[in-house]
Amino acid sequence: MAVVPLQQQPSHLWDSVLHLTKSAQDKNSDPLLWALQLSSSLNSAAVSLPSVELAHLLVSHICWANHVPITWKFLEKALTVKIVPPMLVLALLSTKVVPNRLVHPAAYRLYMELLKRHTVLFASQLNGPNFQKIMRSVDDVLQLSQQYGFPVCEPGVLLVEFVFSIIWQLLDASLDDERLLELTPDKSSRWPIRSQDMEIDGPDSFNEKRSEQNEGMKKANTAMAIEIIVEFLQNKVTSRILYLARRNMPSHWGGFIQRLQVLGAHSSVLRTLKHITPESLLQLTSDSRRLLTREGKTISRQEFHAVLSFGSLMSSACQSHGATSSAFWLPIDLFLEDAMDGSEATGTSAIETLAGLVKALQAINGTTWHNAFLGLWIAALRLIQRERDPREGPIPRLDTCLCMLLSITTLAVTNIIEEEEAELLKETESDPSNQGKEKQAMGKRRRDLITCLQQLGDQEALLTAPQSVCSVANQAAAKAMMLRSGLSVTNGYYESISVNDMPINCTGNLRHLIVEACIARNLLDTSAYFWPGYVRSSNQVLRNVSGQVPGWSSLMKGSPLTTPSMVNALVTTPASSLAEIEKMYEIAVNGSDEEKISAATILCGASLVRGWNIQEHTCLFIIRLLSPPVPADYSGSDSHLISYASFFNVLLVGVSSIDTVQIFSLLGLVPLLASAVMPICEVFGSSVPNLSWAPTTGEELSCHAVFSSAFTLLLRLWRFDHPPLEHMMGDLPTVGTQVGPEYLLVLRNTRLSSFGTSAVDRIKSRRVSKFITFSSDPITMDSFPKLKLWYQQHQKCICSTLSGLVSGTPVHQIVDALLTMMFRKINRSSHPVTPATSGSSNSSASGTDESSIRIKVPAWDILEATPFVLDAALTACAHGRLSPRELATGLKDLADYLPATLATMVSYFSAEVTRGIWKPAFMNGTDWPSPAANLSIVEQQIKKILAATGVDMPSLAVGGNAPATLPLPFAALISLTITYKLDKASERALTLIGPALNALAAGCPWPCMPILASLWAQKVKRWSDYLVFSASQTVFHHNGDAVVQLLKSCFTSTLGLSSSHVYSNGGVGALLGHGFGSHFSGGITPVAPGILYLRVHRSVRDVMFMTEEILSILMLSVRDIASSGLPRERVEKLKKTKYGMRYGQVSLTAAMARVRLAASLGASLVWISGGSSLVQSLIKETLPSWFISGHGLDQEGRESGGMVSMLGGYAVAYFAMLCGTFAWGVDSASPASKRRPKVLGVHLEFLASAIDGKISLGCDWAMWRAYVSGFISLMVACTQKWVLEVDVEVLKTLSKGLRHWNEEELALALLGLGGIGAMGAAAELVVECEF
């Protein structure tokens, strides 16, 4: 064919092209020759190729005036020689051919052939000449920006949208061909698939023979379209591009999947295809397909995935023996045991923390929810078993442990399940067509819970109930047995069952109580009673039942609360349902005065402590009762709260026990409780004690008594009792926020204002009683001026010495009156006790009668004067004007008069101890009590307790015959506590002072704590072991080396690396043992190192140093694991291989499992010790400096072809990732997750800069590479929501570095999860690497 020169003028250029094409068409010229001639001519005309204009011209020429075979051949050749952009040509054809496919079936088939040939050849299309112009043209043709809602600004973004649009259009066309489009939700297509012209206008429309041929071709075309759809979903490049659409355009992808499901369910053409079935078609789009990963290419990736997929752990993960089986759920055991400490009430909910922890471990471990729930329940059961034989002490633990198992753990599981349901609810609300899918997925986590609880029955040793709850467990088993027998009985029937009534073989266990707790919260139904083996027998009825006794069933039938037997029965028997507690609440609100008192007593009885099925409701009702609304007809001048004095006192005393306060704390209700108690403190503390009330007990009750009950309870809701040393750390700050009343109010305000805004909250609200309502209006300390003033004075007392007492002022008069009351006999002598004043001190005590009159003042005024009273008394004792015994007696009299003054005593004496200005008190048995009788025994027992840790204990011996000494304020506080009897009346006072005394003793020089233990052991011998254990913890408070040694003991025992036979098996049993109190006959045994650490970490002054120490110990553990897991000859042999070691070797698998366990332990200790603040410091500061400075393994550890370094890198990756997930969660459910994007961004920027060569590292390269690939792999596999929070440019830099390490699939997975901003880069990487 002769070359016809093109006209050079732009206005005639494309006319010349068209003329050339028509001429070649008429001559039936060779398409290749035409294409080459056209390419040469366009180049001569300086037209950039591939040409957008030429693509438009050729497609317009063909459709439809020149729809002949030769023109299609020309178009195909133009694509082949790259003079037209394939993407644009296909886009143009899709808008022309697909709508007219019924009129021009041959054109439709040719279009699909071109689609098959040229769509996957993307590499030559991206970033080529003219691509920006091509991109805009494709966007204009297909209207992609309008369709998907964001501009097409990157080649990769265009690629994703183009491929998605083309396959979606084919799908809609196929549905339309079979008349199935009407079955889709919107019954139409967003793409042009139908011609606007009538089909009778087409050629051969009236040729019957031709029409039959067209019908056959139409069916063949539909089949071909379906095959192309399948090919796009199967092809390694296009399937990953479509995955990016699924990740980043979920709403559009959902519509696409709905149409695909319609095709799979109803297409007759699909069923005629040989190699495609409806099931296989739908499987190609399932969420289970991992489209951005493939088999690991490098040795390091294989080794890493060996840890991720170490399936052999699954079967034994929930057993309690051995290091391997403990790896998965060890953090849960540590958290549960730490939550039992009881030394402080927390403002956060253990339910939310535990749920977040389980979600984190389920994600990182990659387990099913069945295994996650099983691990959780077994860890909670292990907690109970550690309390089976506890040593007696002042702090009861069993009821709190049972609350953790049956209430907290159950509610955590409830939250996890409801979270899934909230997501489904959200999907349903946004897309009603998802109802069928919701029903299919709704029960997934519930079903896993059911199978988990069924399998839990195999853990017989763990399920044995403690003796005190055996009868309750038996009742639960009897309930199931009766229902299985077909007997319909009421709760009153079970209330009547005694131990002798039980069937012979009716033995309940803790699983029966767990199931009952789950049924009460609608996680299960009574079909659980019919599980195989749930009860041993169902055909044996109760042998005989006692007569009906009064109980909750009687109450529900209308029996009044008028008889003592009825009240006593309800106090000692927990309610079994929310309805019963609601009934009691109604009586407490609307009943007579006597009934209200009885109802308050009942609510604070067994229903609060052991009503596990309704415990959270009981606590909420009590809080609600402490905040009664102002009556509509109230017109008094005083607060309406005054009339509730007796009622309040019953409630306040009822919730003041140690275990009860901890139950409120575990449930996360401390902020609400504090906000309810503060108004009571304000009102009753401001009242003059002229009024008194006579409650049903017959004792007179004053406003001072009510105030003291409320005030001492309030103080126990934050770390009031901890020594002032924490406020004066200087450069050794503790990690975390100092909790105080303001902080508790902030927590309360935040929670109430945000509750109900999410789908999860709406589901939670269904569980809350209709009677429970709390105002969301914010409360501040300004609402309580007297409390605020006291708190300021409290802080001032802590930070500085007393000053400012002016003679003659009301405060000075109250001080004089209090001193007169305290030291009546002394004041009659020649040396009265008087306070130091800023002015003249002419006043003197006027006698008992006058003091009694003058002390008729509000409690807040007495508290304001108390520090000056204590200062005067302590000064008098120091100067010999007051004997130690007289001081203790006077302090006791003051505390008896106003128990709230105990709080001031604690804060004042603690502050004075830390100032060190008082002379020591000689504990000689004459002036002060002597510990000499049993101090040496205490020393020997402390040594036994510490025996397993390798920590040396300082000697208790004092020089010569000199008696032991204590700081004078500390001695005064000890003497005061010893004056109390161990009875119910003194319980609240000792509950307030006891923890403060322990904390103060721990902060004093050695051996103050052993002396305290000796003195109290003399008073209460049965507490001796508990007191010695508390004293042993002090060894770690002052000695950082001892803490490090204790941490090492935790690692060696857990990993089974200890030489001691007790800990040789490792795991949870070695770390936590059986709790304190596991002892042999005749003596105390060493306490497991984990228990010791969990009891002392709150008192470690410099928590910041612990992250580096734990990192260092983790690296030492890795080296020990490698050396103990591989014989020396095997190590030498592996060093000679190409990669140092190969994937699949048993020793490597076992070593990796233990490395993972070590990382899990380290992360747990960091998180428990310092919370999210310490984790933030670790990620932002400690790890970067650690890698830069070259810490890690020594030269010996870098042997074995980098094996140990590789293991160390993966260990740190797991360690860092677990720390992050524990602190911030794997999702955005917790408030702490709001801090995650900033901290994570800083860390990943460091990784990116180091990979990019901008930061020089001092660590081993193999360790660095293992860390980076391990951390990113875990983030991609387990915390995908995290990736969305990272800056796109950081992701691109990381991806680039990973590709240089031949980690292309990891680079792609990282970009693929980065959202819309990273979608383009991910698509370009897919094309470039041809995954």
Side-chain angles (χ1 to χ4, degrees):
M1 183 177 76
V3 176
V4 180
L6 295 176
Q7 299 295 324
Q8 298 303 309
Q9 294 81 1
S11 59
H12 301 105
L13 175 63
W14 300 112
D15 291 338
S16 301
V17 170
L18 189 57
H19 176 72
L20 175 64
T21 302
K22 287 181 178 179
S23 175
Q25 177 182 335
D26 294 340
K27 297 176 183 179
N28 201 27
S29 301
D30 180 14
L32 178 58
L33 186 60
W34 168 84
L36 293 175
Q37 179 191 6
L38 185 56
S39 176
S40 177
S41 300
L42 289 172
N43 283 326
S44 299
V47 175
S48 179
L49 299 178
S51 170
V52 170
E53 293 81 3
L54 181 60
H56 280 276
L57 186 146
L58 293 178
V59 173
S60 297
H61 178 67
I62 292 174
C63 302
W64 293 102
N66 296 281
H67 170 38
V68 292
I70 188 63
T71 56
W72 283 94
K73 292 180 181 180
F74 286 164
L75 181 61
E76 200 279 332
K77 240 9 137 178
L79 290 167
T80 303
V81 300
K82 302 179 181 179
I83 61 176
V84 291
M87 202 177 294
L88 179 57
V89 169
L90 293 171
L92 290 167
L93 288 175
S94 73
T95 62
K96 299 284 188 180
V97 174
V98 177
N100 293 282
R101 67 192 181 282
L102 301 181
V103 180
H104 302 288
Y108 186 38
R109 190 168 193 85
L110 289 170
Y111 160 71
M112 289 189 289
E113 288 290 350
L114 291 175
L115 194 60
K116 291 173 64 176
R117 294 183 186 183
H118 294 281
T119 300
V120 296
L121 301 177
F122 296 117
S124 61
Q125 302 181 38
L126 298 182
N127 302 317
N130 266 354
F131 194 80
Q132 288 296 323
K133 186 176 180 181
I134 295 170
M135 186 165 64
R136 288 193 297 271
S137 298
V138 174
D139 186 21
D140 291 340
V141 170
L142 296 178
Q143 297 183 334
L144 298 177
S145 297
Q146 291 82 358
Q147 291 284 1
Y148 297 113
F150 51 88
V152 176
C153 54
E154 294 182 62
V157 173
L158 173 70
L159 186 57
V160 173
E161 294 184 354
F162 171 77
V163 173
F164 188 30
S165 301
I166 291 298
I167 190 176
W168 195 342
Q169 187 185 35
L170 283 180
L171 176 59
D172 281 358
S174 301
L175 290 170
D176 188 49
D177 290 344
E178 298 193 70
R179 303 291 189 268
L180 299 176
L181 202 58
E182 294 296 322
L183 300 179
T184 60
D186 48 14
K187 304 182 187 309
S188 62
S189 174
R190 63 169 59 197
W191 311 108
I193 61 170
R194 291 178 181 173
S195 174
Q196 300 301 317
D197 300 324
M198 296 182 67
E199 295 183 7
I200 60 174
D201 295 335
D204 305 319
S205 293
F206 297 99
N207 185 325
E208 293 184 6
K209 184 175 181 180
R210 187 76 176 185
S211 296
E212 291 177 4
Q213 292 176 351
N214 285 350
E215 284 300 320
M217 185 173 288
K218 290 174 185 176
K219 291 183 179 179
N221 284 347
T222 303
M224 185 176 182
I226 295 175
E227 290 172 348
I228 291 177
I229 293 171
V230 172
E231 184 177 337
F232 269 57
L233 293 170
Q234 288 179 329
N235 180 273
K236 62 182 181 180
V237 175
T238 53
S239 64
R240 285 162 174 79
I241 290 174
L242 289 171
Y243 171 80
L244 294 173
R246 182 175 78 184
R247 286 284 313 176
N248 298 292
M249 297 182 282
S251 60
H252 299 292
W253 183 263
F256 173 75
I257 292 300
Q258 287 176 351
R259 284 165 163 74
L260 204 64
Q261 290 170 344
V262 171
L263 184 73
H266 302 284
S267 173
S268 58
V269 175
L270 176 60
R271 282 162 175 74
T272 64
L273 300 178
K274 294 182 179 180
H275 305 294
I276 306 171
T277 64
E279 294 75 17
S280 62
L281 176 65
L282 296 177
Q283 181 62 30
L284 290 173
T285 59
S286 68
D287 292 337
S288 61
R289 295 189 72 225
R290 300 181 63 185
L291 296 174
L292 289 187
T293 57
R294 59 177 180 177
E295 293 297 324
K297 297 195 312 180
T298 63
I299 294 299
S300 62
R301 289 286 287 158
Q302 290 175 336
E303 292 161 353
F304 181 71
H305 284 303
V307 185
L308 284 179
S309 59
F310 189 43
S312 61
L313 287 181
M314 296 295 185
S315 61
S316 58
C318 300
Q319 298 175 8
S320 59
H321 304 290
T324 306
S325 62
S326 306
F328 279 47
W329 316 114
L330 173 67
I332 299 179
D333 287 274
L334 286 168
F335 168 76
L336 295 179
E337 188 63 52
D338 184 63
M340 291 299 101
D341 176 71
S343 63
E344 62 183 83
T346 60
T348 56
S349 167
I351 301 166
E352 297 170 2
T353 306
L354 184 58
L357 178 60
V358 174
K359 288 191 293 182
L361 291 172
Q362 188 271 340
I364 297 296
N365 293 333
T367 66
T368 62
W369 280 108
H370 165 92
N371 284 328
F373 290 145
L374 193 59
L376 171 61
W377 288 118
I378 288 181
L381 288 169
R382 279 195 290 253
L383 176 70
I384 300 297
Q385 297 310 316
R386 286 193 289 271
E387 286 300 308
R388 288 197 63 81
D389 188 22
R391 290 289 193 181
E392 186 176 350
I395 302 179
R397 278 172 47 105
L398 182 58
D399 283 335
T400 314
C401 290
L402 288 168
C403 168
M404 181 64 83
L405 171 69
L406 300 172
S407 184
I408 303 302
T409 302
T410 309
L411 288 170
V413 172
T414 304
N415 282 1
I416 291 170
I417 290 175
E418 287 181 348
E419 185 179 273
E420 177 195 37
E421 294 176 355
E423 288 295 325
L424 294 167
L425 177 63
K426 187 177 179 181
E427 290 179 12
T428 302
E429 291 174 347
S430 61
D431 190 353
S433 63
N434 266 344
Q435 291 178 358
K437 180 180 177 182
E438 177 189 349
K439 291 179 182 178
Q440 179 183 356
M442 180 65 78
K444 180 66 178 69
R445 292 184 183 177
R446 287 182 184 269
R447 287 195 298 272
D448 280 356
L449 174 65
I450 291 171
T451 58
C452 151
L453 292 177
Q454 289 173 338
Q455 186 177 339
L456 190 63
D458 298 335
Q459 307 290 331
E460 292 188 11
L462 291 176
L463 292 172
T464 303
Q467 188 63 39
S468 59
V469 294
C470 280
S471 61
V472 183
N474 288 339
Q475 285 180 359
K479 182 178 179 181
M481 188 178 295
M482 295 298 98
L483 191 141
R484 286 172 62 117
S485 302
L487 299 178
S488 177
V489 291
T490 63
N491 285 338
Y493 189 75
Y494 302 114
E495 293 169 3
S496 305
I497 297 176
S498 68
V499 176
N500 295 327
D501 296 329
M502 296 290 176
I504 297 174
N505 59 353
C506 176
T507 55
N509 58 34
L510 291 175
R511 184 169 72 139
H512 295 106
L513 297 180
I514 291 172
V515 167
E516 290 299 318
C518 290
I519 291 174
R521 293 173 176 89
N522 296 319
L523 297 177
L524 302 174
D525 56 32
T526 53
S527 63
Y529 297 160
F530 296 88
W531 291 346
Y534 185 70
V535 290
R536 295 185 180 180
S537 172
S538 61
N539 55 10
Q540 183 180 7
V541 296
L542 298 181
R543 287 175 287 177
N544 56 145
V545 179
S546 323
Q548 183 77 11
V549 298
W552 289 98
S553 57
S554 302
L555 175 75
M556 298 304 288
K557 292 176 182 178
S559 297
L561 289 179
T562 55
T563 62
S565 61
M566 179 71 166
V567 173
N568 290 336
L570 297 180
V571 168
T572 57
T573 306
S576 60
S577 68
L578 176 58
E580 294 172 347
I581 288 294
E582 287 179 334
K583 178 73 172 178
M584 191 58 60
Y585 173 77
E586 289 185 272
I587 295 174
V589 172
N590 303 316
S592 65
D593 289 344
E594 183 178 354
E595 287 178 328
K596 288 180 178 180
I597 296 295
S598 298
T601 305
I602 291 166
L603 286 172
C604 295
S607 294
L608 174 60
V609 179
R610 292 199 171 181
W612 307 296
N613 299 347
I614 41 84
Q615 207 159 34
E616 68 275 23
H617 303 293
T618 306
C619 291
L620 286 171
F621 279 128
I622 290 173
I623 294 173
R624 191 71 189 88
L625 290 172
L626 287 170
S627 307
V630 180
D633 56 350
Y634 185 77
S635 58
S637 58
D638 295 330
S639 170
H640 71 287
L641 299 180
I642 292 292
S643 61
Y644 289 88
S646 299
F647 182 70
F648 282 160
N649 202 63
V650 172
L651 291 172
L652 293 168
V653 173
V655 300
S656 292
S657 64
I658 292 176
D659 46 359
T660 302
V661 170
Q662 194 168 4
I663 287 170
F664 275 90
S665 175
L666 292 175
L667 289 167
L669 297 177
V670 163
L672 278 177
L673 179 60
S675 66
V677 173
M678 286 180 189
I680 299 175
C681 293
E682 188 74 17
V683 170
F684 284 89
S686 303
S687 300
V688 177
N690 292 326
L691 299 175
S692 63
W693 301 268
T696 55
T697 57
E699 299 176 3
E700 187 175 276
L701 185 66
S702 69
C703 60
H704 279 182
V706 179
F707 169 78
S708 293
S709 297
F711 187 67
T712 53
L713 173 62
L714 178 63
L715 294 184
R716 291 171 53 206
L717 301 183
W718 78 84
R719 295 178 64 171
F720 144 82
D721 56 87
H722 282 230
L725 188 63
E726 293 191 0
H727 299 265
M728 305 166 63
M729 288 296 180
D731 58 349
L732 298 176
T734 54
V735 175
T737 304
Q738 180 68 27
V739 178
E742 304 109 321
Y743 178 70
L744 292 176
L745 289 178
V746 169
L747 282 180
R748 177 261 178 205
N749 296 338
T750 302
R751 290 182 186 176
L752 290 181
S753 63
S754 61
F755 184 80
T757 57
S758 67
V760 175
D761 288 341
R762 290 198 297 273
I763 292 178
K764 284 182 180 179
S765 63
R766 299 173 187 170
R767 290 191 268 124
V768 180
S769 170
K770 62 181 182 293
F771 296 109
I772 297 296
T773 56
F774 292 100
S775 171
S776 59
D777 295 337
I779 300 176
T780 64
M781 285 292 286
D782 292 334
S783 303
F784 314 109
K786 294 291 187 179
L787 175 62
K788 182 179 180 180
L789 184 64
W790 171 85
Y791 187 60
Q792 291 172 344
Q793 183 190 32
H794 168 71
Q795 292 179 310
K796 183 179 178 180
C797 176
I798 286 173
C799 297
S800 61
T801 55
L802 285 176
S803 62
L805 181 62
V806 179
S807 176
T809 60
V811 174
H812 184 258
Q813 294 173 2
I814 295 173
V815 171
D816 274 348
L818 289 173
L819 288 172
T820 300
M821 179 192 71
M822 292 167 62
F823 308 111
R824 301 177 184 87
K825 296 180 180 179
I826 302 300
N827 286 323
R828 295 191 183 100
S829 68
S830 57
H831 300 288
V833 180
T834 58
T837 61
S838 299
S840 60
S841 180
N842 297 323
S843 63
S844 61
S846 302
T848 304
D849 295 336
E850 184 180 349
S851 70
S852 299
I853 296 173
R854 292 168 61 186
I855 297 180
K856 292 290 184 179
V857 294
W860 288 121
D861 294 346
I862 295 176
L863 288 183
E864 184 181 1
T866 301
F868 300 102
V869 172
L870 299 176
D871 185 70
L874 199 62
T875 301
C877 183
H879 290 82
R881 298 196 305 271
L882 198 64
S883 71
R885 183 181 296 275
E886 291 167 336
L887 174 63
T889 303
L891 294 176
K892 179 66 164 51
D893 288 343
L894 177 61
D896 288 344
Y897 173 71
L898 183 66
T901 57
L902 285 170
T904 306
M905 294 182 196
V906 167
S907 61
Y908 171 79
F909 287 136
S910 297
E912 293 304 309
V913 167
T914 60
R915 292 187 182 106
I917 59 176
W918 299 91
K919 67 179 183 180
F922 291 93
M923 314 303 289
N924 52 19
T926 303
D927 298 320
W928 300 93
S930 172
N934 59 342
L935 191 58
S936 61
I937 298 175
V938 168
E939 179 178 15
Q940 294 301 318
Q941 290 180 327
I942 291 177
K943 288 181 178 179
K944 286 184 179 181
I945 289 175
L946 301 180
T949 65
V951 174
D952 294 327
M953 186 192 74
S955 174
L956 294 179
V958 293
N961 296 320
T965 62
L966 290 176
L968 178 63
F970 186 37
L973 201 55
I974 291 179
S975 297
L976 170 63
T977 61
I978 293 177
T979 63
Y980 280 95
K981 298 179 180 179
L982 294 184
D983 54 20
K984 194 70 176 177
S986 303
E987 181 181 342
R988 277 183 293 150
L990 293 176
T991 298
L992 180 69
I993 301 177
L997 199 62
N998 280 335
L1000 180 59
C1004 289
W1006 186 269
C1008 289
M1009 189 65 183
I1011 292 173
L1012 171 64
S1014 299
L1015 292 173
W1016 263 95
Q1018 293 175 31
K1019 180 178 177 66
V1020 191
K1021 291 184 179 180
R1022 66 180 184 275
W1023 288 1
S1024 177
D1025 289 345
Y1026 172 86
L1027 294 166
V1028 172
F1029 175 59
S1030 298
S1032 68
Q1033 301 167 25
T1034 315
V1035 175
F1036 305 96
H1037 294 173
H1038 305 284
N1039 188 344
D1041 293 337
V1043 176
V1044 174
Q1045 181 58 46
L1046 180 59
L1047 286 170
K1048 289 179 179 178
S1049 297
C1050 289
F1051 276 85
T1052 55
S1053 60
T1054 304
L1055 299 172
L1057 300 174
S1058 174
S1059 58
S1060 171
H1061 72 279
V1062 177
Y1063 304 134
S1064 59
N1065 291 330
V1068 175
L1071 178 66
L1072 299 177
H1074 301 287
F1076 170 69
S1078 57
H1079 52 277
F1080 301 118
S1081 175
I1084 194 168
T1085 63
V1087 174
I1091 294 291
L1092 265 176
Y1093 182 80
L1094 293 176
R1095 296 297 173 265
V1096 304
H1097 73 81
R1098 289 175 177 82
S1099 301
V1100 175
R1101 300 180 186 180
D1102 184 11
V1103 182
M1104 302 300 294
F1105 94 100
M1106 297 187 41
T1107 54
E1108 290 193 12
E1109 292 296 342
I1110 290 173
L1111 262 176
S1112 176
I1113 296 170
L1114 177 60
M1115 290 298 99
L1116 292 174
S1117 301
V1118 169
R1119 186 187 62 188
D1120 292 341
I1121 289 168
S1123 61
S1124 63
L1126 290 173
R1128 173 65 63 178
E1129 56 273 15
R1130 174 64 65 85
V1131 172
E1132 294 298 325
K1133 184 178 180 180
L1134 289 175
K1135 286 167 61 179
K1136 298 175 184 178
T1137 63
K1138 181 178 180 181
Y1139 295 106
M1141 66 189 313
R1142 297 195 178 278
Y1143 169 66
Q1145 296 188 20
V1146 176
S1147 55
L1148 171 61
T1149 306
M1152 291 290 269
R1154 297 175 80 190
V1155 163
R1156 181 177 180 170
L1157 174 57
S1160 176
L1161 172 62
S1164 303
L1165 295 178
V1166 168
W1167 174 58
I1168 287 174
S1169 300
S1172 60
S1173 298
L1174 190 60
V1175 172
Q1176 177 175 320
S1177 173
L1178 168 74
I1179 301 298
K1180 285 182 65 176
E1181 302 166 7
T1182 305
L1183 282 179
S1185 63
W1186 191 79
F1187 283 117
I1188 291 172
S1189 60
H1191 288 297
L1193 299 164
D1194 53 23
Q1195 187 59 39
E1196 180 183 352
R1198 302 182 185 186
E1199 296 180 357
S1200 309
M1203 179 195 68
V1204 180
S1205 295
M1206 180 271 295
L1207 286 174
Y1210 288 145
V1212 180
Y1214 267 113
F1215 169 69
M1217 179 56 66
L1218 285 168
C1219 282
T1221 55
F1222 294 165
W1224 307 316
V1226 294
D1227 50 28
S1228 301
S1230 68
S1233 64
K1234 296 178 182 178
R1235 295 191 290 270
R1236 181 178 62 215
K1238 183 177 180 180
V1239 180
L1240 182 64
V1242 170
H1243 188 63
L1244 291 181
E1245 285 176 8
F1246 164 74
L1247 298 188
S1249 298
I1251 289 175
D1252 209 22
K1254 297 178 181 178
I1255 296 177
S1256 178
L1257 301 175
C1259 66
D1260 183 79
W1261 186 86
M1263 174 183 287
W1264 170 248
R1265 173 169 174 166
Y1267 173 75
V1268 173
S1269 62
F1271 187 84
I1272 295 177
S1273 294
L1274 284 168
M1275 196 164 64
V1276 165
C1278 310
T1279 60
Q1280 297 182 355
K1281 292 184 179 180
W1282 289 20
V1283 184
L1284 287 171
E1285 301 169 350
V1286 182
D1287 183 77
V1288 173
E1289 294 304 316
V1290 173
L1291 294 179
K1292 291 179 179 179
T1293 304
L1294 289 171
S1295 175
K1296 181 181 177 182
L1298 291 170
R1299 289 167 60 195
H1300 289 160
W1301 291 351
N1302 295 321
E1303 295 279 6
E1304 289 88 355
E1305 85 256 17
L1306 183 56
L1308 172 60
L1310 181 65
L1311 289 175
L1313 297 171
I1316 294 292
M1319 184 173 71
E1324 292 178 44
L1325 182 58
V1326 169
V1327 173
E1328 180 182 344
C1329 299
E1330 293 187 359
F1331 280 93

